[in-house]
Amino acid sequence: MNIAIQFVLALASGAMALVTWHESMPKVITLRGRWNGFCEWVLGLALALLSPALLDNAMRGVEAGWHFIGADIAIVAYAFCRFRWLRSQSSGSWKCSA
């Protein structure tokens, strides 16, 4: 069961990393909110770094501790909350509003 959880979390971490990067790109381009877009990129980086580790453990059959899995679940949940907040704050446009 632990291996299946790691595999699902690896996919969720990778997907949330891509979504977080995609949604924060307009803020990075237009520099609205100064550090907000870059902080979202750091969150995406953390998710992107966790995803291969979980996928590697799942493929090799190595069981991870529940604290590691719990931490990743918390980061994915936080990224999802930030994603929903970003969707409500921006128009979702990639255009630079200069």
Side-chain angles (χ1 to χ4, degrees):
M1 184 65 165
N2 194 327
I3 295 168
I5 292 171
Q6 288 184 73
F7 187 74
V8 169
L9 278 175
L11 295 178
S13 294
M16 282 309 302
L18 292 175
V19 168
T20 302
W21 285 334
H22 177 74
E23 288 299 317
S24 63
M25 183 52 80
K27 285 190 177 206
V28 172
I29 290 172
T30 62
L31 294 176
R32 287 181 289 157
R34 297 188 182 210
W35 292 103
N36 288 341
F38 293 110
C39 290
E40 298 300 323
W41 271 73
V42 170
L43 177 60
L45 180 65
L47 288 165
L49 291 174
L50 282 172
S51 182
L54 284 166
L55 191 58
D56 184 48
N57 284 347
M59 293 297 188
R60 288 188 296 138
V62 176
E63 296 215 6
W66 286 104
H67 63 282
F68 182 67
I69 291 174
D72 194 50
I73 289 171
I75 292 174
V76 170
Y78 176 70
F80 184 73
C81 292
R82 294 295 298 172
F83 163 72
R84 289 187 47 95
W85 181 81
L86 280 170
R87 294 288 292 173
S88 70
Q89 295 298 313
S90 66
S91 65
S93 173
W94 280 78
K95 295 179 189 174
C96 186
S97 58

